Amino acid sequence: KMSDVKFAYELSKRLHAGQKYGEKDYFHHHILGVLGILQHEIGVQDEDTHIVALCHDLMEDTSLELKTLCSLFKCDVATDILHLTKFSDQSYEDYIQDILDVNSERARVVKIADAAFNYRESIREGGKWLVNAERYKKVIMQLATEKQLYDLGFVEWIGGVK
């Protein structure tokens, strides 16, 4: 039997097929980039959190629904994927506030890794992308602990306004 993490990997890879992150393949660049930050920088080794990281954009980018995710993974894992879904009628600020309000450590830490990935990409791209970098920095500051800021290399942000 395939492990749930391997299944999440294959599912996300298949459902994100053809999607781009700028010029790059969305799954290999963004999804695996977020997972890498989670594992190697923040140090999260929990398999359920890895599943959420692998699937964090599935509901936003595909027609996959919560009931389907609940049939594929534990329902609390599927619910955290839902918490990381920004709906089209929702402001970005409300979306982040919802992540804070549900008080799920798993959803919070995956969003930190996602925002850290997007922050670094925005800085690397520069120009018009720098406005996004500020938004991602604000999200990281809202969600991350001092230790997580340190682990991510954002030491100079420690003690900044939450």
Side-chain angles (χ1 to χ4, degrees):
K1 178 185 175 294
M2 188 184 299
S3 78
D4 284 349
V5 174
K6 180 70 175 157
F7 181 78
Y9 177 98
E10 295 298 334
L11 179 71
S12 183
K13 183 178 172 185
R14 181 171 296 128
L15 293 181
H16 284 298
Q19 193 176 344
K20 296 287 185 195
Y21 188 103
E23 297 295 310
K24 299 180 173 122
D25 178 75
Y26 194 85
F27 175 78
H28 289 98
H29 186 63
H30 178 68
I31 300 296
L32 295 185
V34 170
L35 180 63
I37 289 171
L38 195 64
Q39 291 175 311
H40 305 298
E41 294 181 53
I42 303 175
V44 175
Q45 301 307 322
D46 172 65
E47 288 194 357
D48 287 342
T49 308
H50 294 176
I51 291 166
V52 173
L54 286 163
C55 298
H56 77 271
D57 280 338
L58 282 184
M59 291 182 75
E60 202 168 297
D61 296 342
T62 73
S63 57
L64 211 58
E65 295 181 353
L66 181 62
K67 64 182 178 200
T68 306
L69 283 169
C70 279
S71 72
L72 299 172
F73 306 108
K74 291 185 276 189
C75 225
D76 64 314
V77 170
T79 300
D80 280 332
I81 296 165
L82 173 65
H83 293 322
L84 292 168
T85 301
K86 183 190 169 298
F87 295 97
S88 57
D89 63 347
Q90 188 178 35
S91 74
Y92 193 75
E93 293 72 24
D94 286 348
Y95 161 66
I96 297 303
Q97 189 58 53
D98 286 351
I99 293 171
L100 286 164
D101 290 346
V102 296
N103 205 23
S104 163
E105 178 60 20
R106 204 165 34 214
R108 190 182 66 78
V109 76
V110 171
K111 188 64 205 174
I112 293 165
D114 181 46
F117 181 91
N118 290 329
Y119 172 81
R120 291 171 182 165
E121 287 295 302
S122 299
I123 295 292
R124 194 179 56 72
E125 287 291 326
K128 66 178 183 178
W129 296 101
L130 291 177
V131 68
N132 292 343
E134 281 307 306
R135 181 173 77 168
Y136 295 125
K137 177 180 178 178
K138 183 179 172 195
V139 167
I140 296 164
M141 293 294 290
Q142 282 180 278
L143 298 176
T145 64
E146 285 192 4
K147 183 185 183 318
Q148 288 165 336
L149 290 174
Y150 181 83
D151 291 344
L152 289 164
F154 299 137
V155 180
E156 70 278 11
W157 297 359
I158 293 174
V161 178
K162 285 257 180 206

